[in-house]
Amino acid sequence: MVRPLNESDDNKTPRATMKALVFHAPHNVALEEMPMPTIMHATDAIVRITTTSICGTDLHILHGDVPTISAGRILGHEGVGIVEEVGANVLDFHVGDKVLISLITSCGRCSFCRKGMFSHCRTGGWLLGNSIDGTQAEYVRIPYADTSLYLLPPEVDDEAAVMLSCNLPTGLECGSISGKVKPGDVVAIIGAGPVGLAVLLTAQLYSPAEIIMIDLDDNRLETARLFGATQVVNSMDGKATEQIMALTRNAGVDVAIEAVGLPATFDICQSIIAPGGRIAIVGVHGTSVELHLERLWAANISLTTRLVDTGSTPMLLKMVQTGNIDAKKLVSHRFKLSEIIKAYDTFGNAAREHALKVIIKEDLFCNPPPR
Ligand SMILES: [Zn+2]
Ligand SMILES: [Zn+2]
């Protein structure tokens, strides 16, 4: 027996399965029927996903770069939805609430959570679409619902809200806050993908004098200009460092934010950083880099790494709600859940498709009518 989404009639027979994107092996994912999630702990909630998205991290998973993912895992860590069911100990959320799902699950009680380092929660952290089933599905189980979900005001658009699951807090916390962007700074952001653009949007909250955006793709650089970059540099010629030094009259930059995750892009950061500058790592690095301490040991620079903790999410939600951040402009494409493989292809070929963030909406056609 199955029941359709939005069921409100007397047919309370639970559905047995749902559509979900399942990882089988690198380069092998499929949209298939999976068992419906159920409450496993009294602090869990089940959320019906109305809007989800694909993250650059999902592409790393697809390419086999994330060894913690096991075969059979439902992918996805970004989402907005409606609470469908709550465990007995969930106090702050109720069936029917519209919620934002944070990529970081946090217990709120462990030593790391008490320090605000929710990403290192001893029984939480980045679980969704990693060590537990994620949001690229019709339904998802959210552990520690009270401390891992946010109630969404009705006026906040779903597509803008889903940028708050991962993209905007990552850009703000790992980029703009770690890099200590301040009024008058010259900031360079290496990588104009969705996370680099999130850094660009949030860095402007601190009134830097210049934001130089560096990427290989002219379309993304054009978008960066529209989003507020004051200068853009195409690094295709391998001479990004020379171009940035020329733009800064050989002074270098106060803040260099690495939003790609490659040795070459880290190298640009350490080549352009001015004395007293800050290098903030946002990109996911899979290999070691060469740190030129022979040049930097006396330059008073600092280098930061971190996972996103999502402590900034309530503030960002307010800024999106009041229109101070236009999160929706990060969205370039929209698909239904039944088209998610096509959505991955579009996002995975971002330069060809001119793609930023791709939105995946719930798809009523995924749900067979009641029999
Ligand atoms: Zn993400
Ligand atoms: Zn914790």
Side-chain angles (χ1 to χ4, degrees):
M1 196 67 154
V2 289
R3 67 186 164 96
L5 294 178
N6 301 321
E7 183 205 53
S8 58
D9 58 25
D10 295 333
N11 177 7
K12 293 294 178 195
T13 309
R15 280 173 62 182
T17 64
M18 62 168 184
K19 285 274 190 284
L21 187 78
V22 182
F23 174 86
H24 292 291
H27 306 286
N28 179 2
V29 292
L31 184 67
E32 46 197 66
E33 288 292 329
M34 291 291 282
M36 285 283 284
T38 52
I39 299 279
M40 290 169 64
H41 304 285
T43 46
D44 289 351
I46 305 296
V47 176
R48 172 168 63 82
I49 299 289
T50 54
T51 306
T52 181
S53 184
I54 305 173
C55 182
T57 307
D58 296 321
L59 294 183
H60 281 290
I61 293 171
L62 203 63
H63 295 145
D65 299 337
V66 184
T68 47
I69 309 281
S70 50
R73 176 67 61 231
I74 298 171
L75 297 183
H77 57 258
E78 306 182 352
V80 164
I82 306 290
V83 174
E84 180 85 1
E85 190 181 351
V86 291
N89 289 352
V90 174
L91 303 176
D92 295 333
F93 292 93
H94 308 280
V95 172
D97 283 348
K98 184 179 170 190
V99 289
L100 165 68
I101 297 167
S102 176
L103 90 152
I104 298 296
T105 301
S106 57
C107 77
R109 297 177 161 196
C110 72
S111 57
F112 284 115
C113 283
R114 295 302 288 265
K115 284 193 276 193
M117 289 172 65
F118 308 114
S119 62
H120 292 276
C121 173
R122 293 184 186 280
T123 50
W126 173 38
L127 304 184
L128 291 170
N130 180 10
S131 56
I132 67 171
D133 285 337
T135 56
Q136 287 163 9
E138 290 182 83
Y139 295 85
V140 65
R141 179 180 72 89
I142 303 296
Y144 302 122
D146 276 337
T147 40
S148 306
L149 293 174
Y150 297 87
L151 191 65
L152 273 180
E155 68 270 23
V156 174
D157 180 274
D158 275 29
E159 295 183 8
V162 85
M163 300 300 121
L164 297 168
S165 286
C166 167
N167 186 270
L168 279 170
T170 299
L172 174 63
E173 295 179 16
C174 306
S176 303
I177 291 177
S178 281
K180 297 192 175 75
V181 178
K182 60 182 194 316
D185 273 349
V186 176
V187 179
I189 302 168
I190 295 89
V195 174
L197 292 172
V199 177
L200 173 60
L201 289 177
T202 58
Q204 289 169 77
L205 301 173
Y206 301 92
S207 303
E210 294 271 0
I211 306 180
I212 307 168
M213 207 80 188
I214 299 99
D215 201 277
L216 297 165
D217 179 2
D218 279 333
N219 282 305
R220 285 190 158 178
L221 290 173
E222 193 48 44
T223 303
R225 266 197 200 280
L226 295 173
F227 282 25
T230 55
Q231 306 272 4
V232 299
V233 167
N234 189 316
S235 53
M236 189 69 95
D237 62 0
K239 292 186 175 160
T241 297
E242 292 84 343
Q243 291 190 66
I244 297 159
M245 293 312 284
L247 286 172
T248 58
R249 296 179 187 162
N250 279 327
V253 302
D254 301 303
V255 186
I257 297 172
E258 200 288 327
V260 180
L262 293 171
T265 45
F266 175 74
D267 204 49
I268 295 172
C269 292
Q270 61 178 335
S271 303
I272 60 173
I273 198 74
R278 287 85 66 197
I279 299 174
I281 304 296
V282 185
V284 177
H285 283 259
T287 57
S288 62
V289 300
E290 202 175 335
L291 177 63
H292 285 293
L293 284 178
E294 79 282 6
R295 290 203 312 261
L296 296 172
W297 70 272
N300 300 32
I301 67 143
S302 55
L303 170 67
T304 58
T305 70
R306 70 176 287 181
L307 283 169
V308 60
D309 287 304
T310 67
S312 66
T313 302
M315 183 271 276
L316 285 167
L317 180 55
K318 264 189 192 150
M319 302 210 69
V320 168
Q321 192 181 354
T322 54
N324 286 298
I325 292 182
D326 182 5
K328 202 171 169 175
K329 66 183 180 184
L330 286 160
V331 175
S332 65
H333 290 71
R334 292 164 181 86
F335 297 91
K336 289 183 186 301
L337 181 59
S338 56
E339 305 168 316
I340 192 167
I341 299 294
K342 199 171 148 198
Y344 263 84
D345 182 63
T346 300
F347 189 60
N349 292 284
R352 184 190 75 198
E353 304 287 341
H354 298 186
L356 299 175
K357 290 291 283 184
V358 302
I359 288 286
I360 295 147
K361 302 290 285 185
E362 68 177 331
D363 184 352
L364 298 171
F365 295 109
C366 282
N367 299 276
R371 278 176 275 169

